Amino acid sequence: KPASAAKPVPPPKPVPSEPLQDDMKLVELAHELIVSKSPETTESDMKPYSDPIPASSVSVEFVPIPGGEFTMGTPESEAGRGDDEGPQHRVKVDPFWMGKYEITWDAYRLFMFATEANEKQNPDRMVDATSRPTAPYVEMSFGMGLQGYPAISMTQHAANKFAQWLSLKTGHFYRLPTEAEWEYACRAGTSTAYSFGDDPSQLGEYAWFGENSGEKYQQVGKKKPNPWGLYDMHGNVMEWTLDQHSTDFYGSKGELALNPWNKATESYPHAVRGGSWNDSADKLRCGARVPSDVDWKIQDPQLPKSIWYHTDAQWLGFRLVRPLKVPTVQEMWNYWNSGVEED
């Protein structure tokens, strides 16, 4: 079951009283909090866990992903292969935890609306200083469901700021996965088109996609997980990664790429993974990639367009990771702020 039925937990201890002069000061305070609440130091310390969001009945579940090497990308012989999926290359990633499920509205609406997060009654100065979305101009689930359903139609900037907000709320460092981490976790030790093999006729057991979704997203965790216990890595909603989408970055990394991240230098395109409820089977393969597009907010009536919503991407969501090694203050800031959030 999605972790929306957890018992309420008390808010974290208040932070020091000095003013939060800028975002970097906020990240410095966050770093202190996170280091103090991150006792795990080795991969053997990593266990599955559920992280409750203070002053709510919602929690987010995470499973450990072992560090290791894999072949990223797809062979030219793979059915449905896109031109941006190669050349294949070796990648090594450090251990991390990954969200067992896609982030649901249960958690995301606490970020969107301070009143739902009980933050008026339970103020937290670090959380209050974190940027959060402007009010949406339409109902963002588009009638497809809220409780236990994946949150959708957010920009990558919004997903990054949710990760920052959740980190401040829980005291654990969260961020979007890199493209390499995402594919590594999706494959879960396999080298086939899907984490269960090459036969798309089995996809209905593991994924919601164009043939079985009823033209809408579905509650998370209702299909079979992949071998590492992750649900809906294939289908339901596409998932944001940190990376700029590129057709040549990964093939230029040499013999072995260590924790690669193609950091964004422009607003479009970013890399999106996993396929969705609206896609054909070939778009749900482990190596399939999609570039973000300015047209995902074409109906946005605001000028300038919102930095928070991709209203036309009703099949777009995300899940988070928590690396075993807590990053430095500067690295933490870089993960939460891409520098190209204007659009």
Side-chain angles (χ1 to χ4, degrees):
K1 289 175 64 176
S4 57
K7 295 180 180 179
V9 296
K13 295 179 180 180
V15 299
S17 58
E18 65 263 25
L20 302 178
Q21 296 178 350
D22 54 37
D23 195 46
M24 185 58 77
K25 181 62 176 179
L26 174 64
V27 176
E28 289 173 359
L29 291 170
H31 187 267
E32 292 178 15
L33 172 66
I34 289 165
V35 168
S36 72
K37 295 190 67 173
S38 302
E40 301 92 348
T41 59
T42 66
E43 193 169 315
S44 62
D45 296 330
M46 299 174 67
K47 310 297 181 189
Y49 70 96
S50 181
D51 213 354
I53 300 177
S56 80
S57 60
V58 180
S59 61
V60 186
E61 294 187 55
F62 290 87
V63 297
I65 305 299
E69 296 182 20
F70 80 113
T71 299
M72 187 172 179
T74 58
E76 294 184 5
S77 59
E78 186 168 299
R81 181 184 189 269
D83 293 339
D84 61 351
E85 296 175 23
Q88 289 185 293
H89 52 282
R90 295 295 293 173
V91 169
K92 183 176 182 179
V93 296
D94 291 336
F96 57 94
W97 289 268
M98 192 172 212
K100 187 175 184 178
Y101 309 109
E102 295 155 337
I103 292 295
T104 65
W105 284 118
D106 308 76
Y108 196 75
R109 284 172 62 85
L110 300 180
F111 167 62
M112 289 179 66
F113 306 113
T115 52
E116 293 204 13
N118 297 312
E119 288 173 9
K120 301 297 184 184
Q121 298 82 3
N122 299 280
D124 181 304
R125 293 177 58 255
M126 283 202 294
V127 172
D128 289 345
T130 302
S131 298
R132 56 203 312 164
T134 55
Y137 62 91
V138 294
E139 195 281 302
M140 293 305 296
S141 78
F142 300 92
M144 291 189 285
L146 292 172
Q147 189 171 11
Y149 291 91
I152 57 167
S153 296
M154 72 293 294
T155 61
Q156 193 212 45
H157 170 68
N160 285 332
K161 289 293 122 178
F162 174 86
Q164 179 174 337
W165 174 86
L166 186 66
S167 299
L168 296 177
K169 278 285 195 180
T170 63
H172 291 130
F173 172 70
Y174 295 117
R175 60 168 170 81
L176 289 176
T178 63
E179 231 189 326
E181 288 169 336
W182 192 97
E183 185 174 325
Y184 176 70
C186 182
R187 291 189 180 281
T190 70
S191 59
T192 46
Y194 308 94
S195 62
F196 53 83
D198 289 315
D199 184 1
S201 68
Q202 300 179 47
L203 190 58
E205 298 179 39
Y206 296 85
W208 299 106
F209 65 118
E211 292 184 12
N212 68 355
S213 68
E215 300 184 345
K216 64 183 290 290
Y217 61 47
Q218 300 293 327
Q219 288 184 321
V220 301
K222 299 300 183 182
K223 294 293 186 177
K224 291 180 179 179
N226 78 359
W228 286 349
L230 300 170
Y231 290 81
D232 301 305
M233 292 295 283
H234 304 297
N236 210 15
V237 293
M238 290 184 182
E239 299 179 13
W240 279 116
T241 72
L242 280 171
D243 293 54
Q244 188 94 70
H245 180 278
S246 170
T247 58
D248 55 17
F249 174 80
Y250 292 98
S252 65
K253 293 295 100 179
E255 217 169 89
L256 179 67
L258 177 62
N259 297 314
W261 172 25
N262 188 18
K263 195 173 190 307
T265 57
E266 53 189 352
S267 298
Y268 296 95
H270 287 90
V272 183
R273 292 298 201 113
S276 79
W277 58 266
N278 195 41
D279 286 314
S280 57
D282 63 298
K283 303 300 184 185
L284 276 64
R285 293 171 298 107
C286 295
R289 308 173 69 211
V290 171
S292 65
D293 195 299
V294 66
D295 286 349
W296 291 359
K297 59 176 70 176
I298 197 169
Q299 295 183 63
D300 185 347
Q302 302 174 91
L303 291 173
K305 302 284 189 181
S306 171
I307 64 171
W308 297 102
Y309 302 108
H310 278 311
T311 313
D312 294 86
Q314 297 168 20
W315 24 255
L316 173 66
F318 68 104
R319 76 179 73 212
L320 297 179
V321 299
R322 174 191 166 199
L324 172 61
K325 181 182 177 182
V326 176
T328 65
V329 172
Q330 184 61 59
E331 289 169 339
M332 200 172 283
W333 192 92
N334 291 341
Y335 284 128
W336 289 339
N337 300 274
S338 72
V340 292
E341 299 92 348
E342 292 80 8
D343 192 1

